[in-house]
């Protein structure tokens, strides 16, 4: 076990001992290699550097109550990486390579998995990049799949405390028929200006309006949005948001605790009617929303009245994290125990 201040981890980079790499060359994937270097030597004309051939994933492994290490729904992340690869014409990573690489990098860095009870987890960051050299705009012939890990605490410094969000219409993170539904770096580059401005103006993140009509709630920074009212869990149905695996899981859990799930457009004015709202994702877990300020109209949507998470959000958070930390029966079979 490493000498790390586990209880005060933020969502940042902490160097670990190893990462794993696998190269696609001459039409085939090679063997998974172990590296202790934090650097990637690459050709200056690699397509990831010029033409954005880059996709990534985010997962977490949790040290459970029983001491076992659980990886949450890795198959879904693998499938999503495949969809991202297809969307920008990269070579998809075979499922066995994805799985073996995850297990290997977790086991190699097991001393960096935060102990049970600290609230921390091991963040797993798979990355797929075009490394082949091209000058004309075309897909690379060579790819690198790499996974590094880093121990993390909460994404928003507030943790499981309601945050302030800013609704913006003057920037889009993704175009209506673009790449918002996959996890490619370009979406994040496009979200930076709005995100940095939101931070400067005192908000945790930007909530984007849908790029086409600007009438509906779209993505909530690096997470999906959900609202709760009248016994319903409501979350946007949009081609420009990333299909969140956390949200997919919360929809199941919401049904299980008796909420009705609606996956539909959410008009911005409907924000005034929610009893609870939150942002959800691997990094964000559930981040309850206290208030949303509409930057353009000046409207204030006060959601949490007492600065505390609402009862449904609390219930869903306990249920989800309970499964992840092995405190609650994993009846959906979402966790894989990692041998380490
Ligand atoms: N939306 C965006 C833009 C994200 O970056 C993420 C994080 O992966 C999510 C939503 C949440 O997805 P997931 O729950 O699969 O982590
Ligand atoms: C995640 O939740 O895994 C993310 O990728 C969000 C963000 C850190 C980009």
């Amino acid at each position: 076990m490493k000498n790390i201040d586990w209880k005060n981890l933020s969502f940042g980079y902490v160097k670990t001992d190893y990462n794993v790499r696998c190269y696609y060359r001459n039409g085939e994937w090679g063997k998974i290699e172990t590296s202790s270097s934090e650097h990637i030597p690459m050709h200056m004309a690699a397509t990831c550097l010029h033409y954005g051939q880059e996709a990534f994933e985010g997962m977490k492994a949790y040290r459970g109550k029983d001491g076992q290490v659980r990886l949450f729904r890795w198959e879904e992340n693998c499938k999503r990486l495949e969809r991202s690869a297809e969307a920008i014409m990269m070579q998809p990573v075979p499922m066995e390579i994805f799985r073996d690489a995850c297990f290997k990098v977790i086991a190699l860095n097991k001393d960096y998995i935060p102990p049970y009870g600290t609230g921390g987890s091991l963040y797993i960051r798979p990355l797929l990049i075009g490394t082949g050299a091209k000058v004309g705009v075309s897909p690379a012939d060579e790819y690198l799949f790499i996974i590094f890990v880093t121990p993390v605490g909460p994404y928003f410094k507030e943790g499981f405390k309601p945050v302030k969000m800013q609704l913006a219409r003057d920037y889009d993170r993704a175009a209506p028929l673009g790449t918002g539904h996959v996890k490619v770096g370009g979406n994040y580059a496009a979200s930076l200006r709005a995100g940095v401005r939101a931070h400067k103006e005192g908000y945790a993140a930007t909530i984007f309006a849908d790029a086409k009509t600007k009438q509906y709630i779209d993505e909530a920074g690096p997470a999906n949005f959900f609202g709760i009212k009248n016994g319903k869990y409501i979350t946007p149905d949009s081609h420009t948001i990333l299909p969140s695996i956390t949200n997919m899981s919360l929809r199941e859990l919401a049904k299980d605790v008796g909420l009705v799930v609606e996956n539909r457009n959410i008009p911005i004015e409907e924000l005034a009617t929610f009893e609870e709202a939150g942002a959800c994702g691997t990094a964000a877990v559930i981040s309850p929303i206290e208030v949303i300020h509409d930057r353009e109209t000046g409207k204030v949507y006060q959601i949490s009245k007492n600065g505390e998470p609402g009862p449904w959000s609390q219930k869903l958070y306990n249920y989800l994290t309970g499964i992840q930390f092995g405190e609650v029966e994993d009846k959906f079979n979402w966790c894989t125990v990692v041998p380490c």
Side-chain angles (χ1 to χ4, degrees):
M1 193 52 66
K2 300 287 168 176
N3 185 17
I4 290 175
D5 183 4
W6 303 107
K7 287 207 161 124
N8 291 309
L9 279 172
S10 63
F11 193 87
Y13 178 77
V14 173
K15 183 181 184 305
T16 62
D17 294 339
Y18 302 103
N19 56 80
V20 294
R21 302 169 183 215
C22 189
Y23 292 88
Y24 180 86
R25 289 185 187 125
N26 303 319
E28 58 181 7
W29 286 99
K31 295 231 168 338
I32 298 169
E33 299 169 16
T34 301
S35 171
S36 50
S37 168
E38 292 171 283
H39 299 276
I40 307 171
M42 110 171 93
H43 197 288
M44 62 188 172
T47 60
C48 65
L49 299 176
H50 299 254
Y51 302 132
Q53 272 204 307
E54 185 277 343
F56 66 101
E57 271 303 326
M59 287 170 284
K60 280 179 176 169
Y62 307 81
R63 173 81 61 189
K65 199 175 179 181
D66 54 5
Q68 292 195 311
V69 177
R70 288 174 176 77
L71 178 59
F72 190 69
R73 305 196 77 173
W74 66 268
E75 299 94 333
E76 295 299 329
N77 293 83
C78 179
K79 287 191 251 169
R80 192 168 65 189
L81 184 63
E82 190 176 329
R83 297 197 298 272
S84 299
E86 277 164 6
I88 56 168
M89 301 206 73
M90 297 198 292
Q91 186 64 35
V93 178
M95 202 169 228
E96 316 79 73
I97 293 183
F98 188 95
R99 182 200 53 218
D100 293 355
C102 285
F103 282 21
K104 188 166 187 170
V105 74
I106 294 168
L108 284 168
N109 295 294
K110 64 179 189 308
D111 291 346
Y112 290 91
I113 306 173
Y116 174 73
T118 59
S121 53
L122 189 73
Y123 188 69
I124 300 154
R125 172 54 64 86
L127 194 66
L128 176 63
I129 57 177
T131 47
K134 293 275 177 194
V135 180
V137 180
S138 60
D141 305 320
E142 295 188 355
Y143 292 87
L144 168 60
F145 175 55
I146 183 161
I147 309 184
F148 71 81
V149 297
T150 191
V152 294
Y155 187 76
F156 294 116
K157 64 177 185 333
E158 292 82 352
F160 188 61
K161 277 272 169 213
V163 295
K164 294 184 172 51
M165 299 265 197
Q166 180 177 66
L167 176 77
R169 293 179 189 74
D170 55 345
Y171 291 114
D172 295 319
R173 67 179 279 285
L177 296 176
T179 54
H181 61 300
V182 289
K183 205 163 167 63
V184 300
N187 299 337
Y188 296 82
S191 75
L192 288 174
R193 290 198 74 83
V196 168
R197 182 180 68 184
H199 285 155
K200 268 198 200 141
E201 295 180 356
Y203 301 93
T206 306
I207 295 184
F208 292 91
D210 78 285
K212 196 167 183 178
T213 72
K214 305 277 173 182
Q215 288 179 28
Y216 305 108
I217 297 293
D218 218 57
E219 199 70 296
N224 279 181
F225 175 89
F226 68 86
I228 298 176
K229 65 175 179 184
N230 308 327
K232 290 181 186 162
Y233 176 98
I234 306 168
T235 190
D237 178 22
S238 159
H239 179 71
T240 45
I241 66 175
L242 187 74
S244 155
I245 294 155
T246 312
N247 195 358
M248 194 200 299
S249 310
L250 288 174
R251 293 201 292 266
E252 287 292 315
L253 300 182
K255 277 189 232 155
D256 204 55
V257 299
L259 289 165
V260 170
V261 171
E262 290 184 2
N263 210 192
R264 59 161 169 86
N265 285 340
I266 302 180
I268 290 169
E269 314 76 65
E270 192 176 347
L271 288 175
T273 66
F274 287 122
E275 295 151 17
E276 300 180 32
C280 63
T282 299
V285 194
I286 288 181
S287 192
I289 299 176
E290 180 185 353
V291 67
I292 300 171
H293 286 186
D294 185 328
R295 197 172 187 280
E296 195 174 87
T297 65
K299 266 199 188 155
V300 175
Y301 299 98
Q302 187 72 38
I303 293 167
S304 162
K305 309 287 186 289
N306 58 2
E308 293 299 324
W312 285 114
S313 303
Q314 183 76 59
K315 201 169 195 158
L316 291 171
Y317 179 88
N318 291 349
Y319 200 171
L320 177 69
T321 57
I323 291 173
Q324 293 166 332
F325 285 107
E327 297 157 343
V328 171
E329 191 205 337
D330 178 19
K331 69 177 186 189
F332 303 95
N333 228 343
W334 285 338
C335 298
T336 306
V337 171
V338 179
C340 58

